[in-house]
Amino acid sequence: MQKPSNARGTRDFGPKEMAKRNYVFNIIRRHFEQFGFQAIETPAIENLSTLTGKYGDEGDQLLFKILNSGDYLSKLTEQDFQEGSKKFTYKVSEKGLRYDLTVPFARFVSMNRNDLAFPFRRYQIQPVWRADRPQKGRYREFYQCDADIIGSNSLLNEAELITLFQAIFNSLNLKANLVINSRKVLAGVVDVLGMNHHFVDFAVAIDKLDKIGWEAVAKELVEKGFTDDQCDVLADLIVFEGNNLAKIDKLTSFFNGNTQGLAGLKEIEDVLRFIQQNGFVNTNILFDYRLARGLSYYTGLIFEGKALDIPFGSIAGGGRYDNLTTDFGLPNMSGVGLSFGIERMIDVMDALNLFPEIPFSGSKVLFAYFDEAGQTQAFQYVNELRKQGIPSEIYPEVAKIKKPFEFADKKKIPFVAVLGEQELVQNKINLKNMLSGEQELLSLQELIQKIK
């Protein structure tokens, strides 16, 4: 007999865990809607042609691919088997599980361009899949909660997403920094170094800075073609510490008139100026020119949220993308988005005991009885409570009273309504408060008023 287990990198969630997840989901959804974002959903399965080439080489390697249905091997030739694993894969697999929500969103916008009002604000809360190595805070199946504004170049949209971040994290009582940068700043750095053609190599390496440290990053850059002298220049930037203004001044001097780099700094300054009016204390919004974000589709400002009280990696991320819909036949459609890493946010909140007392039973009242007459009456009463908006359930079997009480205690149902012989004669209900132990003899209407 096979021992049951989860697929590696996936998890089950019982009622207690789902109560916590729904608590966070509901807060995020409420703020999304308060900011005017509209909900959409896209399929779990996308054509591989939609997904590949959008995330960089490392991202493409983490795509979950789905084998074609039917006898797909019979259609292959001997040459197909000799062309190498990459080409062979795409001949036996035409579809894959979505890697994120942004690329499917770009496809959706392109397909529905005539039905949407631009700028279009969308939110999406759905699972994604990545063939990553599972570890603490990193899973192969996990939810993302995305908010995007597409069809506008205005930096006010970046300020809106930063304000959304502040609103959500304040509501969750979760302390976090939001680090911001611009890909134009990074492009300006490599331009000053005369390494424009190595921008992707630079961005990929710098994105690993927090994980592997500067020495390992510098070694990787040298392997990609950077000189030791160039790495020494970069090291001066990497080790510099200071507030947002000091970092802007440092880079302004470094760029020495470089157009691309200064354009990125101007974006940072404009967004920081906008958010001064958002009503939040924004000392947790930090400009850091070392932030790169590995995804290759970002073109402007980029964001990354990190919890303050516990090292847990990125718990939010996003940025500006200018060309993502172009591959789907819709050019000149700039967008910006922010994704909330729900799994890590919940893990951090658990570790810091930030969850309030959340009832994970759906029911407020459990009806119990001693015989078939009580069962019939309880079935009528439970449906009356439901019509009044009171979540209720009925113990399904005639049993000794101990059983339904144990059942209610295990499910954390706060009240048990007992219908014994005397209660039926008096047309009353014996209501027991499971927390205090208090019991009251009430009519149905009195019970409804008390529970409501």
Side-chain angles (χ1 to χ4, degrees):
M1 184 174 178
Q2 184 179 355
K3 183 180 179 181
S5 63
N6 291 91
R8 194 161 175 252
T10 67
R11 299 172 294 167
D12 293 319
F13 301 106
K16 189 173 183 179
E17 289 79 14
M18 282 306 302
K20 292 180 179 179
R21 293 173 71 80
N22 286 332
Y23 169 79
V24 178
F25 280 134
N26 290 338
I27 286 177
I28 291 175
R29 184 179 288 108
R30 186 181 79 240
H31 284 295
F32 281 170
E33 292 175 354
Q34 285 178 345
F35 277 68
F37 292 90
Q38 295 176 290
I40 71 163
E41 286 194 353
T42 59
I45 299 172
E46 294 279 351
N47 293 321
L48 278 182
S49 58
T50 296
L51 301 173
T52 51
K54 312 299 190 305
Y55 308 108
D57 290 339
E58 291 188 14
D60 283 353
Q61 292 174 18
L62 300 181
L63 292 173
F64 270 110
K65 302 172 182 68
I66 300 171
L67 288 175
N68 295 337
S69 57
D71 189 10
Y72 53 87
L73 289 177
S74 66
K75 300 174 184 178
L76 301 178
T77 65
E78 185 175 339
Q79 184 179 350
D80 291 328
F81 287 91
Q82 297 172 353
E83 283 186 335
S85 60
K86 191 170 184 180
K87 287 186 176 180
F88 176 78
T89 297
Y90 288 101
K91 290 189 176 180
V92 299
S93 174
E94 297 171 351
K95 298 177 181 64
L97 296 177
R98 61 169 173 253
Y99 178 92
D100 73 350
L101 300 178
T102 306
V103 169
F105 171 56
R107 174 196 55 72
F108 172 89
V109 169
S110 301
M111 292 177 65
N112 296 276
R113 65 187 78 175
N114 296 325
D115 301 321
L116 301 175
F118 294 104
F120 176 50
R121 293 181 174 227
R122 90 77 162 88
Y123 80 82
Q124 198 169 345
I125 301 176
Q126 286 188 275
V128 300
W129 294 266
R130 298 181 185 178
D132 213 342
R133 183 172 65 86
Q135 53 187 290
K136 185 178 181 180
R138 189 182 295 273
Y139 310 99
R140 287 180 169 173
E141 178 187 58
F142 56 95
Y143 269 76
Q144 286 188 336
C145 304
D146 282 19
D148 285 71
I149 306 170
I150 195 165
S152 168
N153 295 308
S154 172
L155 290 171
L156 188 62
N157 297 323
E158 275 84 346
E160 282 273 76
L161 291 177
I162 291 173
T163 305
L164 176 66
F165 174 91
Q166 299 284 54
I168 288 173
F169 277 78
N170 269 266
S171 292
L172 293 172
N173 294 315
L174 181 54
K175 295 178 182 177
N177 287 332
L178 185 67
V179 182
I180 65 172
N181 192 18
S182 171
R183 296 281 274 207
K184 294 174 185 176
V185 168
L186 295 172
V189 170
V190 294
D191 193 21
V192 169
L193 295 175
M195 297 293 283
N196 283 354
H197 53 298
H198 282 288
F199 174 76
V200 173
D201 293 331
F202 174 71
V204 169
I206 290 295
D207 191 50
K208 302 173 185 175
L209 190 61
D210 287 344
K211 298 177 185 175
I212 63 176
W214 167 244
E215 288 186 8
V217 168
K219 181 180 178 183
E220 183 173 325
L221 288 173
V222 170
E223 291 171 354
K224 296 294 184 179
F226 286 74
T227 67
D228 290 334
D229 288 344
Q230 288 169 334
C231 287
D232 288 341
V233 172
L234 286 173
D236 180 57
L237 292 179
I238 296 299
V239 300
F240 180 79
E241 297 291 342
N243 61 24
N244 291 342
L245 183 59
K247 289 175 182 175
I248 290 172
D249 289 342
K250 174 78 172 177
L251 273 176
T252 301
S253 175
F254 174 84
F255 287 140
N256 192 27
N258 181 275
T259 305
Q260 194 165 206
L262 292 176
L265 287 182
K266 179 66 164 53
E267 290 180 345
I268 298 294
E269 289 178 300
D270 286 348
V271 169
L272 291 176
R273 175 173 53 83
F274 274 134
I275 64 171
Q276 289 177 9
Q277 310 302 321
N278 69 8
F280 289 96
V281 177
N282 292 295
T283 52
N284 63 324
I285 310 302
L286 308 176
F287 168 46
D288 189 343
Y289 45 74
R290 297 169 294 188
L291 176 66
R293 301 287 298 166
L295 297 177
S296 60
Y297 54 66
Y298 292 128
T299 56
L301 257 73
I302 46 179
F303 316 101
E304 190 163 280
K306 296 183 178 182
L308 279 179
D309 297 321
I310 186 170
F312 225 94
S314 173
I315 56 176
R320 168 73 62 170
Y321 46 88
D322 289 330
N323 307 309
L324 204 48
T325 59
T326 302
D327 287 346
F328 304 114
L330 184 60
N332 304 317
M333 184 62 70
S334 183
V336 60
L338 184 60
S339 178
F340 295 84
I342 189 79
E343 314 297 347
R344 287 185 176 179
M345 288 169 67
I346 290 171
D347 286 347
V348 170
M349 290 178 68
D350 257 334
L352 298 174
N353 296 314
L354 294 180
F355 282 103
E357 282 293 326
I358 304 171
F360 65 86
S361 171
S363 300
K364 281 190 174 181
V365 182
L366 173 71
F367 279 86
Y369 43 83
F370 298 98
D371 52 30
E372 290 185 5
Q375 186 182 56
T376 301
Q377 186 66 72
F379 188 63
Q380 177 189 341
Y381 283 165
V382 75
N383 284 292
E384 286 294 330
L385 263 64
R386 290 165 180 163
K387 289 177 184 177
Q388 296 297 321
I390 301 172
S392 309
E393 63 184 280
I394 181 172
Y395 195 76
E397 298 167 358
V398 176
K400 292 182 178 180
I401 196 64
K402 183 180 178 183
K403 275 194 171 183
F405 275 111
E406 289 176 344
F407 176 79
D409 188 55
K410 195 169 186 178
K411 284 194 70 176
K412 305 300 181 186
I413 299 173
F415 294 96
V416 176
V418 180
L419 293 176
E421 185 177 345
Q422 289 186 348
E423 287 82 6
L424 291 174
V425 170
Q426 299 176 45
N427 204 23
K428 297 280 188 177
I429 304 163
N430 194 334
L431 184 69
K432 180 174 180 178
N433 185 316
M434 293 295 290
L435 185 61
S436 66
E438 178 187 352
Q439 293 188 184
E440 295 179 85
L441 198 61
L442 305 170
S443 69
L444 178 62
Q445 290 305 314
E446 289 170 338
L447 183 149
I448 290 170
Q449 291 303 312
K450 182 176 182 64
I451 299 297
K452 270 192 168 181

